Amino acid sequence: MHNVVISGTGLYTPANSISNEELVQSFNTYVAQFNADNADAIARGEVEALTESSAAFIEKASGIKSRFVMDKEGILDPQRMAPRLPERSNDEWSVLCQMAIGAAEQALQRAGKTAADIDGVIVACSNLQRAYPAIAIEVQEALGIQGFGFDMNVACSSATFGIQTAANSIQLGHARAILMVNPEVCTGHLNFRDRDSHFIFGDAATAVIIERADLATSKYQFDIVSTKLLTKFSNNIRNNFGFLNRAAEEGIGAKDKLFVQEGRKVFKEVCPMVAELIGEHLQENQLNVSDVKRFWLHQANLSMNHLIVKKLLGRDATEQEAPVILDTYANTSSAGSVISFHKNQDDLPAGSLAVLSSFGAGYSIGSVILRKR
Ligand SMILES: CC(C)(COP(=O)(O)OP(=O)(O)OC[C@H]1O[C@@H](n2cnc3c(N)ncnc32)[C@H](O)[C@@H]1OP(=O)(O)O)[C@@H](O)C(=O)NCCC(=O)NCCS
């Protein structure tokens, strides 16, 4: 069995960002138009009037101030309220592939590796833009990587599950190094007409190089001490979009064909599960929570993260201990915890213990214990 390290991370951030104020202005224009168009039916009690959104509520309830997006214009157009990402020919790299390349190139550079050093590509994300061929095989082709590639989806936990999958392959000698990427166009599955959730998501891609410790040369290395995964079925975060939709015409265009959630229930049920899993994971490895210098947590809700770390530490965490990126990125699904990791690792002294943890739909929870080399 080989020892395994993470030797480089990368981030692709879209060029455009939308503030809460811009998003709310578009939403409220839509609400005013809907209520005007349906004024008679609303007066007769046949249609329910829509209620305005509020930037102050969004920041207070979630901690989100803005989000990066692949297309700003389409989302903010009150007549459209969805990103516009034109079809590409089969001769062009797909949108997900393009984002993955951006993140992967930086991860390769930080790891000091070239395509020739990589034996496999895993694309792990919440939303794959087509059924097949796998996006990972396209990324392989775009970067000139030999070996194998496959896609996997564990919603917001895709990255930690992807890291365990890659680490297992490397431990067993199936690959020297694997590129694991998380391209997330979360705005593609977000219902921008839903007041309860229109502010939640943003777009980004992250990449992680996982490789054999004895081959790693970069100065950004973390030992993968241990990984622990957990899933438990829940309908509280769900998206019923899929290839069988055309076989059930009655459901086409219904709200459940985009992201839907019971936010309060998710908050209440997932926080204790995450704290318990991380606590158990550290204990199983004879490690103390108080020795963990950094928690790179999934970035969905600021209060959720505060609560999880407080449950673990028995006190509030400092900004350094549990770095926040959701204020400017919003929830980028599987990319979130890796963005926090990527942006907040270089200051850690050698030997520092850290935890990368994701949580989301499924429910699915992942914990990766890392030690800076
Ligand atoms: C989604 C979330 C931010 C909502 O925050 P919340 O405090 O639970 O808010 P609620 O939905 O209970 O709504 C509270 C109030 O704000 C109102 N509200 C909801 N959306 C609003 C908006 N956009 N603008 C203004 N008010 C709003 C509600 O109508 C409700 O009003 P009421 O108290 O008069 O009934 C929060 O539940 C959350 O982040 N949960 C975890 C979700 C998560 O991690 N999901 C994983 C996704 S991968």
Side-chain angles (χ1 to χ4, degrees):
M1 291 269 276
H2 297 287
N3 288 332
V4 184
V5 296
I6 288 176
S7 55
T9 53
L11 169 64
Y12 167 85
T13 302
N16 291 307
S17 167
I18 297 178
S19 67
N20 286 348
E21 289 72 21
E22 289 173 303
L23 194 69
V24 164
Q25 192 184 9
S26 152
F27 183 87
N28 291 350
T29 305
Y30 155 72
V31 166
Q33 191 62 53
F34 178 92
N35 290 346
D37 291 348
N38 294 281
D40 292 344
I42 291 169
R44 288 195 301 273
E46 291 162 14
V47 171
E48 208 174 315
L50 297 181
T51 311
E52 289 194 336
S53 182
S54 131
F57 166 84
I58 295 170
E59 189 175 339
K60 187 162 173 279
S62 68
I64 297 164
K65 297 176 184 164
S66 57
R67 68 283 295 140
F68 292 96
V69 295
M70 291 301 284
D71 176 56
K72 182 167 178 169
E73 218 174 298
I75 291 170
L76 290 183
D77 176 357
Q79 307 299 324
R80 180 180 175 84
M81 301 179 86
R84 165 101 184 111
L85 301 169
E87 282 262 307
R88 295 183 181 187
S89 88
N90 288 354
D91 297 328
E92 296 172 278
W93 303 130
S94 65
V95 175
L96 253 61
C97 178
Q98 177 204 326
M99 294 169 76
I101 294 169
E105 282 174 344
Q106 190 183 19
L108 284 165
Q109 191 238 323
R110 277 176 69 94
K113 298 284 151 177
T114 67
D117 302 312
I118 310 293
D119 293 331
V121 176
I122 299 175
V123 166
C125 62
S126 287
N127 289 285
L128 291 156
Q129 78 182 87
R130 62 170 181 255
Y132 42 80
I135 306 289
I137 305 175
E138 190 186 357
V139 172
Q140 241 192 306
E141 179 73 6
L143 293 171
I145 293 172
Q146 304 296 308
F148 63 87
F150 61 88
D151 296 346
M152 55 184 278
N153 174 1
V154 201
C156 290
S157 280
S158 298
T160 52
F161 280 59
I163 288 170
Q164 175 168 306
T165 306
N168 290 347
S169 286
I170 294 162
Q171 277 162 348
L172 292 172
H174 297 314
R176 295 166 298 160
I178 290 181
L179 163 69
M180 197 278 307
V181 266
N182 322 103
E184 294 283 12
V185 188
C186 300
T187 55
H189 80 154
L190 181 53
N191 183 355
F192 285 97
R193 294 189 175 87
D194 176 38
R195 177 174 176 260
D196 290 340
S197 64
H198 75 113
F199 53 88
I200 286 180
F201 289 108
D203 304 330
T206 46
V208 181
I209 305 291
I210 299 117
E211 69 170 320
R212 255 171 56 184
D214 60 333
L215 300 176
T217 53
S218 94
K219 57 178 180 184
Y220 306 110
Q221 290 180 48
F222 286 85
D223 284 313
I224 300 182
V225 177
S226 175
T227 58
K228 189 176 172 81
L229 312 177
L230 176 76
T231 50
K232 184 173 178 1
F233 187 72
S234 168
N235 279 321
N236 289 335
I237 313 170
R238 201 163 165 133
N239 180 346
N240 287 331
F241 182 78
F243 81 104
L244 288 180
N245 292 162
R246 66 190 279 268
E249 289 84 346
E250 65 279 13
I252 292 173
K255 279 188 170 174
D256 71 331
K257 304 304 179 299
L258 292 169
F259 166 88
V260 283
Q261 76 166 352
E262 295 282 346
R264 278 273 156 109
K265 287 189 187 160
V266 174
F267 196 114
K268 214 170 139 225
E269 292 174 10
V270 169
C271 289
M273 286 170 74
V274 176
E276 198 179 329
L277 183 92
I278 296 174
E280 275 175 15
H281 192 198
L282 289 165
Q283 212 170 20
E284 284 161 12
N285 286 276
Q286 288 84 47
L287 296 166
N288 292 321
V289 177
S290 54
D291 293 333
V292 177
K293 294 284 173 286
R294 199 146 295 174
F295 294 91
W296 297 295
L297 298 181
H298 176 51
Q299 303 282 315
N301 181 296
L302 188 57
S303 311
M304 233 173 150
N305 288 12
H306 284 163
L307 187 62
I308 289 166
V309 190
K310 194 170 183 173
K311 273 179 188 289
L312 281 162
L313 292 174
R315 60 168 173 81
D316 290 333
T318 64
E319 172 71 30
Q320 277 98 335
E321 284 173 315
V324 176
I325 59 93
L326 64 83
D327 52 346
T328 51
Y329 279 83
N331 182 345
T332 52
S333 197
S334 68
S337 57
V338 185
I339 300 175
S340 179
F341 175 33
H342 175 74
K343 284 181 169 279
N344 299 283
Q345 57 171 265
D346 293 350
D347 62 314
L348 280 175
S352 300
L353 199 64
V355 172
L356 176 77
S357 176
S358 63
F359 36 91
Y363 298 131
S364 55
I365 306 173
S367 166
V368 180
I369 303 176
L370 299 167
R371 193 188 298 277
K372 179 95 179 253
R373 287 197 131 201

